[in-house]
Amino acid sequence: SGAYSVATANNGDVIIIDADHTETLTSSFAFSKAGIRVYGLGSGSSKPLFTGTTAIDMFDLTAARNWIYNLRFPIWTTVTNTARVNVAATGCGLVDCDFLLGANDLNAVTLTATGLDFTMEGCTATISANGPDSGIVIESAAALGLKIINCSFDEGEFNFDNAAVYSTVAHTEFFYKDITLLNEAHIIHTAAAKGICTGTVMSDGSRLQLG
């Protein structure tokens, strides 16, 4: 958060976070400067780790073109959080981030009406207890242009209460490519949602085609 406070919007600024960095947030952190990129170093369990202790959207992307790379979001063990990342601006993205979801985690990502052209690529969402609602939930039909590419959603021995990718709204122009749905994870959309889904693999090895 300290590095972000001195970054300049729309200046190509990049923030690098060391491997094995850990940080606990007690309030929601707003990504309120446009065009910032945050890169975590390390791999697997050494990726920078961010968790929280209050019922919040932990990261709130409120400015355009904020991109977050290679972070790890562990299970919350105290109170129920609404989302690890809430997307409320145009052209934002998450790449190679890992979401571990337990009993106190409702959603990994929430996509609002102002979260247009959001990209989620190379990310994982894994459940280890009953309680999580969704990996990513689309909250408004205005959220056009969602792209989910090469991501995996794993329900383990449990289930998302809603779905790995969940929408009850008529969002359009989505593009899903090479999503892996493990242990009965699934996608639920209203019939009015329109887009393309290609290369998505179900738990039984079959491929799902939508659009």
Side-chain angles (χ1 to χ4, degrees), residues 40-51:
L41 302 180
S43 61
S45 61
S46 71
K47 291 181 179 182
L49 183 150
F50 285 81
T51 191

Side-chain angles (χ1 to χ4, degrees), residues 183-205:
N183 294 306
E184 299 185 4
H186 52 290
I187 296 171
I188 292 180
H189 285 359
T190 174
K194 303 297 181 184
I196 296 171
C197 180
T198 181
T200 292
V201 179
M202 305 294 287
S203 299
D204 63 0

Side-chain angles (χ1 to χ4, degrees), residues 80-159:
T80 300
N81 68 89
T82 50
R84 306 300 179 78
V85 179
N86 180 61
V87 184
T90 299
C92 295
L94 295 171
V95 180
D96 296 335
C97 292
D98 298 326
F99 297 89
L100 307 178
L101 306 174
N104 293 313
D105 303 301
L106 291 185
N107 304 291
V109 179
T110 48
L111 189 62
T112 72
T114 50
L116 283 70
D117 296 322
F118 171 66
T119 299
M120 187 173 180
E121 182 171 359
C123 296
T124 66
T126 305
I127 297 178
S128 62
N130 286 320
D133 288 343
S134 306
I136 177 170
V137 55
I138 300 93
E139 297 179 337
S140 171
L144 306 179
L146 167 63
K147 291 175 284 294
I148 305 176
I149 301 169
N150 194 31
C151 293
S152 68
F153 299 88
D154 188 352
E155 292 192 343
E157 299 177 7
F158 308 93
N159 296 299

Side-chain angles (χ1 to χ4, degrees), residues 176-187:
Y176 303 160
K177 181 180 179 182
D178 299 336
I179 299 174
T180 301
L181 300 168
L182 299 171
N183 294 306
E184 299 185 4
H186 52 290
I187 296 171

Side-chain angles (χ1 to χ4, degrees), residues 6 11 14 17 29 52 59 62 70 73 77 85 104-105 116 125 127 146 165-166 179 181 195 204:
V6 298
N11 194 47
V14 174
I17 304 175
F29 183 81
F59 287 168
T62 58
N70 204 51
F73 301 93
T77 58
V85 179
N104 293 313
D105 303 301
L116 283 70
I127 297 178
L146 167 63
V165 183
Y166 183 64
I179 299 174
L181 300 168
D204 63 0

